């Protein structure tokens, strides 16, 4: 991941931070309320955009209706996806008019430079379409393909999780410490995600899920991957396994987890780089720490050959 964050917006960030007294909690050091640090302005804008979109989603949740479908797997687009997306894009274009944006529904809004904003205005559209209140808003900033800012907002509870590279993960004024890493006797509680392109009959996905189900206490399939990342960063679940994960929502959540101390591996236990570009086969991962990480790597590496050849 890029580490210095130096870019053409340094002066504008400084002016904005001076106007607020640098009191944006958790963005500038190890304690809430410390002076603004690298990417603090970008993080502030991302949080405000996510929360504004979340307020719209919460207010109009009962009125949501499906306006389209994506692919053959049953995924839908609702009118709320489009309305929330407009709120976020308007804010990002106002504050960062010359930067590239990739958004779930609008697609690529191209521009020059090494910075790319990723926007998932409604993670959990299928849940919303059936009246299930499990959904989130996710925004990430990537530099040279790697996340440096992530914000996840849950409209139902009003909670926002946020992270900037090297500055920890936070919810409100609380710094997140991730899972403890000890393997529970009944087995770990895990989240699972797979990309839209993974078919129902995908042998490798079936093999991986089956192995996890056999050796875990619970495997959550939430239809809203960002909620799984917020739980992992908060330490309320033990690990996360993804197979060909989507690029839009992955970086924001993965940065939260990484900044909370979670480690990442490929399905065969190798080094894993968190990013959004490239083929989805490069976004198959295990995320956990301590004993749980080793347990999961053993499970999925053993299951993968039986389920078919790896695509990484």
């Amino acid at each position: 991941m890029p580490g210095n964050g130096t870019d053409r917006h340094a002066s504008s960030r400084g002016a904005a931070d001076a106007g607020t007294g640098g009191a944006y909690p958790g963005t500038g050091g190890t304690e809430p309320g410390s002076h603004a640090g690298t990417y603090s302005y970008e993080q502030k804008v991302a949080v405000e955009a996510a929360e504004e979109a979340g307020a719209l989603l919460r207010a109009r949740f009962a009125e949501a209706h499906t306006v389209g479908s994506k692919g053959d797997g049953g995924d839908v687009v609702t009118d709320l996806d489009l309305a929330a997306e407009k709120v976020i894009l308007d804010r990002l274009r106002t504050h960062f008019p010359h930067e590239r944006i990739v958004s779930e529904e609008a697609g690529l809004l191209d521009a020059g430079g090494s910075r790319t904003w990723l926007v998932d205005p409604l993670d959990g559209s299928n849940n919303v379409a059936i009246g299930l209140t499990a959904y989130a808003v996710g925004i990430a900033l990537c530099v040279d393909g790697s996340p440096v800012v992530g914000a996840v907002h849950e409209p139902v509870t009003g909670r926002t999780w946020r992270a900037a590279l090297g500055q920890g993960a936070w919810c409100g004024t609380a710094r997140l410490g991730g899972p403890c890493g000890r393997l529970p006797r009944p087995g770990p509680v895990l989240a699972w995600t797979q990309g839209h392109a993974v078919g129902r009959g995908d042998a490798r996905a079936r093999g991986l899920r089956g192995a996890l189900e056999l050796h875990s206490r619970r495997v959550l399939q939430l239809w809203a991957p960002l909620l799984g990342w917020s739980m992992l960063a908060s330490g309320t679940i033990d690990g996360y396994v993804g197979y060909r994960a989507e690029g839009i929502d992955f970086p924001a959540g993965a940065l939260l987890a990484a900044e909370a101390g979670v480690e990442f591996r490929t399905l065969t236990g190798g080094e894993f780089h968190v990013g959004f570009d490239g083929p989805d086969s490069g976004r198959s991962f295990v995320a956990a720490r301590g004993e749980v990480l080793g347990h999961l790597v053993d499970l999925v590496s053993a299951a993968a050959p039986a389920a078919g050849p790896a695509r990484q």
Side-chain angles (χ1 to χ4, degrees), residues 133-152:
T133 54
Y135 60 99
V137 181
I139 301 173
L141 171 63
C142 293
V143 176
D144 294 325
S146 297
V148 297
V149 169
V152 175

Side-chain angles (χ1 to χ4, degrees), residues 221-239:
Q221 299 183 54
L222 300 171
W223 286 9
L226 288 171
L227 295 181
W229 288 116
S230 68
M231 289 189 286
L232 184 62
S234 300
T236 56
I237 64 173
D238 301 299

Side-chain angles (χ1 to χ4, degrees), residues 276-303:
F276 77 93
D277 50 5
D280 63 5
S281 57
R283 291 189 296 275
S284 295
F285 63 88
V286 175
R289 69 194 304 180
E291 295 176 332
V292 177
L293 181 63
H295 172 75
L296 294 180
V297 168
D298 288 346
L299 284 180
V300 300
S301 60

Side-chain angles (χ1 to χ4, degrees), residues 17-304:
D17 294 336
T20 61
Y24 192 68
T27 59
T30 59
E31 296 296 331
S34 59
H35 292 294
T38 306
Y39 297 117
S40 62
Y41 182 62
E42 289 89 340
Q43 186 179 180
K44 182 176 187 292
V45 172
V47 166
E48 290 175 347
E51 291 180 345
E52 183 181 359
L56 179 152
L57 294 172
R58 183 170 60 249
R60 294 174 51 183
F61 175 83
E63 306 167 9
H65 64 273
T66 299
V67 297
S69 59
K70 294 189 288 188
D72 300 324
D75 291 304
V76 302
V77 179
T78 73
D79 57 331
L80 296 192
D81 289 80
L82 303 179
E85 183 176 65
K86 183 179 186 305
V87 166
I88 297 170
L89 294 184
D90 285 349
R91 273 193 180 259
L92 292 180
R93 285 164 164 166
T94 296
H95 291 277
F96 308 103
H98 305 297
E99 297 189 352
R100 181 185 298 108
I101 302 174
V102 180
S103 190
E104 178 75 15
E105 311 307 335
L108 173 63
L109 307 176
D110 208 0
S114 62
R115 292 162 53 109
T116 302
W117 289 91
L118 303 177
V119 177
D120 193 343
L122 176 49
D123 184 39
S125 301
N126 289 279
N127 292 338
V128 170
I130 61 174
L132 183 62
T133 54
Y135 60 99
V137 181
I139 301 173
L141 171 63
C142 293
V143 176
D144 294 325
S146 297
V148 297
V149 169
V152 175
H153 176 66
E154 184 185 15
V156 175
T157 64
R159 291 179 296 179
T160 302
W161 296 266
R162 64 190 188 278
L165 184 65
Q167 298 169 49
W170 302 80
C171 183
T173 58
R175 186 164 187 165
L176 306 179
C180 68
R182 292 190 299 273
L183 185 63
R185 183 172 297 178
V189 177
L190 309 172
W192 163 271
T193 187
Q194 63 186 49
H196 297 312
V198 178
R200 298 176 189 274
D202 188 291
R204 195 169 193 220
R206 291 203 316 270
L208 292 169
R209 286 199 309 268
L212 296 174
E213 292 280 3
L214 280 174
H215 299 281
S216 304
R217 180 182 171 197
R218 296 284 189 278
V219 179
L220 308 176
Q221 299 183 54
L222 300 171
W223 286 9
L226 288 171
L227 295 181
W229 288 116
S230 68
M231 289 189 286
L232 184 62
S234 300
T236 56
I237 64 173
D238 301 299
Y240 210 140
V241 178
Y243 177 58
R244 296 169 56 192
E246 291 297 309
I248 292 286
D249 55 59
F250 177 54
L255 182 64
L256 284 179
E259 288 294 321
V262 171
E263 299 178 58
F264 288 75
R265 298 286 187 273
T266 66
L267 298 183
T268 54
E271 182 179 348
F272 183 86
H273 173 75
V274 174
F276 77 93
D277 50 5
D280 63 5
S281 57
R283 291 189 296 275
S284 295
F285 63 88
V286 175
R289 69 194 304 180
E291 295 176 332
V292 177
L293 181 63
H295 172 75
L296 294 180
V297 168
D298 288 346
L299 284 180
V300 300
S301 60

